[in-house]
Amino acid sequence: MEEYTLGTIEAKFADIIWKREPIATNELILICEEEFNWKRTTTYTVLKRLMQKGIFQNQNGIVTSRIKKEDFYAHQSERYVENSFGGSLPQFLTAFTTRKKLSQKEIEELKKIIEKL
């Protein structure tokens, strides 16, 4: 997958596919018409762009993902931490928690994740 982030509309579009895949292009067009007020050509243009980025594929009018949503966003998160914090997860967490205090439940969840690793 090419290094790529999704804009707000692209993310909503991608979510439609990820939630409903495999999805027929005709159904995708109808959903996008209702959700975004898009014409058929707009849906195809956005789909083509995301296909070129290696996120989705269209085979015989059926759209499926080439990369799962969780994997895509995990990769994006890794890139963000790498680019912004030199790959240091502790630095990221320190920066994140200076403005947002973690709840006791969140702290316990993080402890469980660390223990699993």
Side-chain angles (χ1 to χ4, degrees), residues 27-77:
E27 182 181 353
L28 184 59
I29 289 166
L30 292 174
I31 292 168
C32 290
E33 183 179 307
E34 183 178 307
E35 292 283 323
F36 309 123
N37 200 28
W38 285 358
K39 295 182 180 180
R40 177 184 59 82
T41 54
T42 305
T43 300
Y44 277 119
T45 298
V46 176
L47 177 59
K48 183 178 178 184
R49 187 179 327 140
L50 297 182
M51 287 170 48
Q52 289 171 339
K53 300 298 180 186
I55 301 169
F56 298 108
Q57 61 189 0
N58 181 359
Q59 295 179 326
N60 301 318
I62 302 297
V63 179
T64 57
S65 61
R66 296 186 70 208
I67 181 169
K68 298 296 176 201
K69 179 179 181 176
E70 297 78 17
D71 294 336
F72 178 83
Y73 284 112
H75 180 74
Q76 297 302 307
S77 299

Side-chain angles (χ1 to χ4, degrees), residues 2 5-6 9 23 30 39 41 43 49 52 57-58 61 66 72 76 78 80 86 91-92 94 96 102 107 114 117:
E2 187 175 316
T5 58
L6 297 176
I9 294 297
I23 184 169
L30 292 174
K39 295 182 180 180
T41 54
T43 300
R49 187 179 327 140
Q52 289 171 339
Q57 61 189 0
N58 181 359
R66 296 186 70 208
F72 178 83
Q76 297 302 307
E78 290 168 6
Y80 178 76
Q91 284 182 7
F92 167 76
T94 300
F96 183 82
L102 296 176
I107 292 169
I114 291 168
L117 299 174

